[in-house]
Amino acid sequence: MLKTYTYADLSIADIDKLVLRNSDPNQSIQSTVNDIIEDVRQNGDAALINYAAKFDQVQLEKLYLEKEEIEELAATISRDQQRALEIAFQNIHKFHSTQLKRERVVETMPGVKCWREVRPIEKVGLYIPGGSAVLPSTLLMLGVPARIAGCKEIVVCSPPQKNGKINGFVAYCLLLLKIERIYLVGGAQAVAAMAFGTSSIPKVDKIFGPGNQFVTKAKSTVQSLTNVSIDMPAGPSEVLVIADHTANPAYVAADLLAQAEHGADSQAVLVATTAEIVTQVDAELESQLAVLPRKEIAAKAIENSYAVVTTDLREAMLFSNIYAPEHLIIETDYWQTVTSLILNAGSVFLGHLTPESAGDYASGTNHTLPTSGYARSYSGVSVDSFVKKITFQSINEEGIQQIGSTVEILAELEGLQAHKNAVLIRKK
């Protein structure tokens, strides 16, 4: 089922072509996104209502739900389902709460003190994908660190369902996060609305959340058009599984399919140390795929996926670092021998009993991660994503004498006399 390549036979150009994903060579996605963004900038709420009818097949009377409606929807899910969301919330909160730390004051010279203090980003926008699967877990992954950071305003956008509402799971997560309004807007239009603001939706300072190629393109585009920033490029989901002779083929296949069922544009890559492993995983893929409710979607993703056969785990890591996966699963007894070799990955899952789905939902780590090779330069979402770190310095009488001559010399060699005078006048 998986197209199979041998690493030793691949040239550098072959590998570059193999790891490329979600490209837009004809700029068709960019063109569509540009049109949507301009429409929302010019027409605001009216454009959003039109897009809801066009893309979501729902005629909205208003663009948001408030606390009373959210509570009613949250009450429609069972207590077991509520409890599962509560456990996920607690684990995510427990892990992320350790990330907000006070830094110490450093005296760089006698009388010269420097330090950093954390301040929350005041207004943040959270995009929660809908489409073929509704993702309440993403709301927890974004909302929990935003709350821990202390963001004053949290704007949540998610596509409406056919009934013009949201499902009970998303509603219950809103209650856990103490968020009392959700905006019924999806796709690139939601990104544009949060970036520029409309009469209903506030403008935010930073936009978070994964999505399809249109959402990803919209995020990067609005960042170039206004002073809003984004968490990272986070498009269609992906996994790379490294497996050796100790791996369980059924586990490997299950992990590949767990990724593939996200969407037809997802990618699941197997890097195996023997061709026999690929054959065994293929057999498992066929049998497991046959009984999946979303088998048609998963099958399309598998068609766009592949396997690479390497000589050993070290060579497997070479390919993985070039691919830079969003999710990296290392299915071997010997994972401790290769973790130090991991350079590029969004989130890593170690050993036979650590499925990616644990991180997707409830282990505590964040599942909003860089895709499409951006793990080479981006980290996943954390509390740090929702804060700014401001530097401070304080200089006393001893300090200005200690550091003064150094600043004077450096200012003079750069030809900036006023900089030098700002020190001289204090020394005198």
Side-chain angles (χ1 to χ4, degrees), residues 340-420:
S340 63
L341 303 177
I342 300 169
L343 301 177
N344 304 317
S347 191
V348 183
F349 304 80
L350 302 170
H352 305 296
L353 300 180
T354 314
E356 181 233 315
S357 46
D360 268 355
Y361 293 112
S363 66
T365 61
N366 209 290
H367 79 200
T368 308
L369 304 163
T371 66
S372 303
Y374 283 104
R376 298 186 191 97
S377 54
Y378 284 85
S379 305
V381 163
S382 67
V383 174
D384 283 347
S385 308
F386 291 89
V387 300
K388 305 159 291 185
K389 296 184 178 180
I390 303 172
T391 57
F392 293 79
Q393 47 258 291
S394 174
I395 301 175
N396 62 18
E397 291 182 9
E398 180 186 14
I400 196 66
Q401 298 299 328
Q402 287 276 346
I403 202 171
S405 60
T406 297
V407 176
E408 290 170 46
I409 293 169
L410 294 175
E412 193 165 26
L413 69 86
E414 291 191 355
L416 300 175
Q417 186 62 41
H419 280 63
K420 179 178 179 179

Side-chain angles (χ1 to χ4, degrees), residues 141 237-243 255 259 317 325-332 335-336 338-339 342 345-369:
M141 295 292 177
S237 200
E238 62 198 33
V239 69
L240 187 146
V241 181
I242 292 177
D255 286 332
Q259 197 62 60
M317 279 309 314
E326 177 191 19
H327 305 101
L328 171 60
I329 299 175
I330 303 180
E331 257 268 17
T332 170
W335 57 263
Q336 296 95 335
V338 296
T339 51
I342 300 169
S347 191
V348 183
F349 304 80
L350 302 170
H352 305 296
L353 300 180
T354 314
E356 181 233 315
S357 46
D360 268 355
Y361 293 112
S363 66
T365 61
N366 209 290
H367 79 200
T368 308
L369 304 163

Side-chain angles (χ1 to χ4, degrees), residues 241-252 270-273 277 280-281 330-334 351-352:
V241 181
I242 292 177
D244 68 359
H245 65 282
T246 67
N248 184 320
Y251 294 176
V252 174
L270 170 61
V271 182
T273 54
I277 297 167
Q280 293 170 345
V281 171
I330 303 180
E331 257 268 17
T332 170
D333 286 344
Y334 311 108
H352 305 296

Side-chain angles (χ1 to χ4, degrees), residues 27-273:
Q27 294 292 298
S28 59
I29 294 174
Q30 184 68 70
S31 177
T32 300
V33 165
N34 289 345
D35 290 343
I36 291 172
I37 290 172
E38 187 58 28
D39 190 11
V40 174
R41 288 181 75 173
Q42 295 297 326
N43 300 305
D45 285 356
L48 300 177
I49 290 171
N50 288 338
Y51 287 125
K54 179 179 180 180
F55 297 130
D56 306 308
Q57 289 79 53
V58 58
Q59 191 64 50
L60 296 176
E61 295 181 4
K62 61 178 182 177
L63 287 167
Y64 54 85
L65 302 177
E66 295 190 281
K67 186 179 180 182
E68 185 176 333
E69 293 170 289
I70 292 169
E71 289 175 340
E72 289 175 1
L73 291 166
T76 63
I77 68 174
S78 71
R79 182 57 195 143
D80 284 345
Q81 292 167 335
Q82 291 177 352
R83 181 61 183 149
L85 290 170
E86 289 166 6
I87 291 171
F89 173 88
Q90 291 161 7
N91 287 352
I92 295 165
H93 194 283
K94 189 179 297 184
F95 177 75
H96 286 75
S97 63
T98 65
Q99 297 169 6
L100 198 58
K101 295 179 180 177
R102 186 182 182 91
E103 297 183 21
R104 67 186 182 90
V105 176
V106 178
E107 191 168 42
T108 57
M109 299 179 75
V112 180
K113 294 181 178 179
C114 304
W115 67 97
R116 293 199 307 178
E117 292 186 14
V118 172
R119 299 290 186 273
I121 297 172
E122 290 188 79
K123 298 179 180 181
V124 296
L126 314 184
Y127 180 70
I128 313 304
S132 62
V134 181
L135 304 177
S137 56
T138 297
L139 180 53
L140 294 180
M141 295 292 177
L142 298 176
V144 168
R147 280 294 183 217
I148 292 171
C151 300
K152 290 183 179 178
E153 187 168 0
I154 301 174
V155 176
V156 180
C157 286
S158 190
Q161 295 187 310
K162 293 293 187 289
N163 62 1
K165 300 186 182 298
I166 55 172
N167 71 22
F169 308 109
V170 171
Y172 195 72
C173 290
L174 290 169
L175 297 185
L176 290 173
L177 293 163
K178 296 179 170 58
I179 295 172
E180 297 185 353
R181 177 178 284 196
I182 183 170
Y183 295 93
L184 304 170
V185 187
Q189 59 271 28
V191 175
M194 291 187 284
F196 297 101
T198 72
S199 57
S200 293
I201 301 178
K203 182 185 186 304
V204 302
D205 300 314
K206 189 172 183 179
I207 298 172
F208 295 79
N212 59 22
Q213 293 186 61
F214 291 91
V215 170
T216 302
K217 191 71 73 175
K219 285 168 66 179
S220 60
T221 302
V222 298
Q223 185 174 226
S224 68
L225 295 175
T226 185
N227 59 355
V228 69
S229 65
I230 65 171
D231 51 354
M232 73 191 85
S237 200
E238 62 198 33
V239 69
L240 187 146
V241 181
I242 292 177
D244 68 359
H245 65 282
T246 67
N248 184 320
Y251 294 176
V252 174
D255 286 332
L256 294 172
L257 290 172
Q259 197 62 60
E261 72 175 353
H262 270 294
D265 54 359
S266 294
Q267 192 168 71
V269 176
L270 170 61
V271 182
T273 54

